Amino acid sequence: YNLGKLEFPPTWEVLCARSPDGRRLAFTKNWLAPNWQGYPLMWLDLAEPSQAHAVFLGADAEISRFAFSPGSKHLALIARETYASRLYLLDTGSGKLTKLIEQDSIYNLVWSPDGEYLGLTGASEERPDVPEVLVLSVNTGEILYRHAYDTGGEIPSDAPLRAWGVEFPSQPMSGLE
């Protein structure tokens, strides 16, 4: 498949997201696809698809989730690398990639409506068997809220995500669809 001059992997091998303003597209191969190792995260402005950008996290990095910020200027992405999950923030204008946090597992992410915070589910190295909900500041990477999460129930009543009006987590805790 091609998007302009850009070669696009077959749709069944791709994780893809479109920005809220509809102008940008990001994609990578999913971990079930053949030869996914070493495939970069690509992003582009749909008005200029021949000018695609790429970020390469390493041959063993598995990019499992990503989402554009509400303002469409940033892309948050979860990558599993060796024995840890890392949450990165990508500035789609400059291409600058910043690691926000690292922990044993990160499964899901969602942006706050104002784009100032990210909500996550995951597990820490100290308690890998206890799923958690975390909220962190995008500007500082500081974890502002952390609470155990009952995967069979609802998010905790004091979780900031309740005020965001989002269904969360939106994907199964295992990360598999």
Side-chain angles (χ1 to χ4, degrees):
Y1 297 95
N2 290 308
L3 182 61
K5 293 182 181 180
L6 179 68
E7 185 179 333
F8 200 78
T11 55
W12 59 89
E13 295 182 359
V14 155
L15 296 173
C16 190
R18 192 165 184 179
S19 62
D21 66 7
R23 293 184 44 217
R24 293 177 182 86
L25 183 72
F27 67 92
T28 191
K29 283 190 176 183
N30 70 45
W31 63 274
L32 295 172
N35 304 315
W36 67 265
Q37 293 94 340
Y39 196 87
L41 174 73
M42 308 284 292
W43 78 96
L44 55 100
D45 187 317
L46 289 169
E48 302 177 47
S50 62
Q51 295 183 10
H53 308 277
V55 63
F56 179 72
L57 297 175
D60 294 327
E62 171 198 328
I63 299 171
S64 60
R65 296 271 186 270
F66 50 90
F68 281 97
S69 64
S72 303
K73 295 184 193 293
H74 293 96
L75 192 62
L77 58 124
I78 300 168
R80 178 87 181 154
E81 300 176 57
T82 314
Y83 299 105
S85 291
R86 294 181 176 103
L87 176 68
Y88 292 96
L89 185 66
L90 175 68
D91 182 314
T92 58
S94 69
K96 180 181 177 190
L97 185 69
T98 305
K99 183 176 83 171
L100 294 178
I101 65 166
E102 177 178 320
Q103 67 174 48
D104 191 54
S105 299
I106 305 172
Y107 302 115
N108 296 286
L109 64 90
V110 66
W111 285 90
S112 65
D114 62 6
E116 297 291 321
Y117 307 97
L118 281 164
L120 313 168
T121 57
S124 66
E125 187 175 335
E126 298 82 31
R127 298 175 56 188
D129 58 331
V130 179
E132 297 179 312
V133 172
L134 294 91
V135 174
L136 64 115
S137 167
V138 173
N139 295 324
T140 66
E142 179 185 1
I143 296 173
L144 304 173
Y145 176 87
R146 173 177 250 151
H147 195 283
Y149 173 70
D150 176 5
T151 58
E154 296 182 1
I155 58 174
S157 60
D158 64 338
L161 291 100
R162 284 192 170 273
W164 298 354
V166 296
E167 293 291 324
F168 191 73
S170 58
Q171 301 292 329
M173 289 295 290
S174 68
L176 299 174
E177 277 69 42

